[in-house]
Amino acid sequence: FQRLKDGLSRSSTKLTDSITGIFTKRKLDRALLDELEEALIAADLGPATAEKLTKALAKDRFDKEVTSDEVRRLFADEIAKLLDPVAKPLVITQKPHVVLVVGVNGSGKTTTIGKLARLYQGQGKRVMLAAGDTFRAAAVEQLKIWGERANVPVIARGEGADPAGLAFDALTEAKASDIDLLLIDTAGRLQNKAGLMEELAKIVRVIKKVDPSAPHDCLLVLDATVGQNAHSQVDIFKQICQVSGLVITKLDGSAKGGVLVALAERFGLPVVAIGVGEGQDDLKPFAAQEFARSLMD
Ligand code: GDP
């Protein structure tokens, strides 16, 4: 968790500093609450969460002297409470459990699939990958490399192949090979939203021919560094497929972890894991308390 801590401390330093900078010990009045609310909003926690947190603070402390340490502790506790219900790992319920992985290009989809493959393979599950982003040859190649690294089979076809056909073949193969988890990569060309919507809908339609209950999960991968843009990505992908969970990547960089809190507050979607680096072991289960504390440390 050091990476997450380092990453978040880089981003949260700003938030922590701005909270500390506002006061060391001061009477909690309206002006102070407003300043704190602004600092929270500036750190991407969103207006709703910012209001909730400052209200919780005001509840017992209004008109009393407070220290910045106290405030950060209380905020961390409130954030942990808010995040706790969304901290849910991916649970494999079917055989094969079929997971569609969606998200805009560059969000970290392929990398996340590689990391998930490694994680579940390490737990003794039989994993298979399907290179459904057939639009980009590089994406297919990259997935193959991740598959080799994790030592799991990758079903791929050439550039421009029909992704639905590929998904059909992959699921058929997964059933025949006693696979536990099938992770399907998809294209993320949001500039052609209608086309993407149709493509994903077709993948879903076609894999249902093999298993009517599939896909069992649709994971949306979001890059934390895009800040507020993450909200519109969730909005859009919720229209495209039934998003069942989120993976938030790049929390090791200069990311503002605050956006994760805002997303949890607004959408209540499970955060199944977080990405804290480019390596194969850099996917971590999402732990509410730890995250909240890192954000406020
Ligand atoms: P895709 O287009 O959505 O499949 O995105 P990729 O998986 O190709 O990732 C895009 C870039 O982000 C690559 O350079 C990855 O190494 C990088 N990346 C993905 N996840 C993380 C993460 O958690 N942390 C960091 N620092 N980089 C990441």
Side-chain angles (χ1 to χ4, degrees):
F1 276 97
Q2 201 49 46
R3 286 263 191 101
L4 170 65
K5 283 220 177 89
D6 292 347
L8 284 181
S9 69
R10 230 169 294 152
S11 60
S12 67
T13 308
K14 273 225 268 359
L15 175 57
T16 312
D17 288 353
S18 60
I19 292 176
T20 310
I22 291 168
F23 64 99
T24 41
K25 189 168 190 174
R26 222 170 109 179
K27 199 161 105 171
L28 187 67
D29 54 14
R30 193 61 251 167
L32 178 51
L33 283 170
D34 286 347
E35 281 176 67
L36 287 168
E37 202 168 327
E38 266 168 44
L40 293 166
I41 292 170
D44 276 343
L45 277 92
T49 317
E51 196 188 330
K52 203 174 203 176
L53 294 183
T54 46
K55 270 198 175 142
L57 176 65
K59 200 168 154 256
D60 298 326
R61 317 281 174 97
F62 196 72
D63 240 6
K64 293 184 184 139
E65 294 260 302
V66 287
T67 65
S68 65
D69 278 354
E70 258 179 274
V71 170
R72 286 193 285 121
R73 219 176 307 125
L74 185 135
F75 282 173
D77 287 347
E78 289 297 318
I79 290 170
K81 264 191 252 168
L82 203 148
L83 293 179
D84 200 48
V86 301
K88 289 180 196 154
L90 182 74
V91 185
I92 297 182
T93 57
Q94 312 288 321
K95 191 182 177 86
H97 192 88
V98 181
V99 181
L100 211 53
V101 182
V102 302
V104 302
N105 286 340
S107 61
K109 261 184 321 266
T110 310
T111 308
T112 298
I113 292 174
K115 293 169 175 174
L116 284 170
R118 159 92 169 173
L119 180 73
Y120 285 95
Q121 165 90 331
Q123 292 174 6
K125 303 283 184 205
R126 293 168 66 94
V127 183
M128 180 183 273
L129 310 182
D133 186 359
T134 56
F135 193 75
R136 295 185 303 164
V140 175
E141 284 315 307
Q142 216 199 333
L143 197 75
K144 282 186 187 162
I145 293 170
W146 278 107
E148 270 167 33
R149 234 179 249 164
N151 198 23
V152 304
V154 179
I155 307 297
R157 281 186 191 162
E159 190 179 351
D162 172 31
L166 176 107
F168 182 93
D169 288 352
L171 181 50
T172 308
E173 175 76 26
K175 277 185 127 81
S177 326
D178 206 28
I179 292 292
D180 296 297
L181 179 63
L182 172 63
L183 298 164
I184 304 176
D185 197 5
T186 63
R189 303 182 309 279
L190 259 201
Q191 52 284 27
N192 178 4
K193 190 180 146 198
L196 182 61
M197 201 180 264
E198 203 173 297
E199 183 169 310
L200 289 176
K202 189 173 166 198
I203 293 177
V204 170
R205 222 168 37 238
V206 166
I207 57 179
K208 278 192 189 303
K209 289 186 184 164
V210 187
D211 178 354
S213 69
H216 307 104
D217 272 293
C218 178
L219 293 185
L220 172 59
V221 178
L222 296 170
D223 172 348
T225 63
V226 304
Q228 294 299 308
N229 273 337
H231 288 260
S232 58
Q233 290 181 14
V234 180
D235 275 330
I236 291 169
F237 277 96
K238 276 184 70 174
Q239 294 164 30
I240 296 180
C241 63
Q242 281 192 323
V243 177
S244 63
L246 305 176
V247 176
I248 319 283
T249 64
K250 307 187 195 179
L251 281 165
D252 52 305
S254 56
K256 287 188 174 179
V259 72
L260 193 154
V261 184
L263 291 171
E265 164 83 24
R266 173 146 173 232
F267 297 102
L269 285 165
V271 178
V272 304
I274 55 175
V276 294
E278 301 187 76
Q280 59 177 354
D281 293 319
D282 292 330
L283 188 79
K284 303 293 170 202
F286 177 61
Q289 279 232 358
E290 195 154 6
F291 188 87
R293 250 184 268 136
S294 307
L295 203 58
M296 284 293 158
D297 254 359

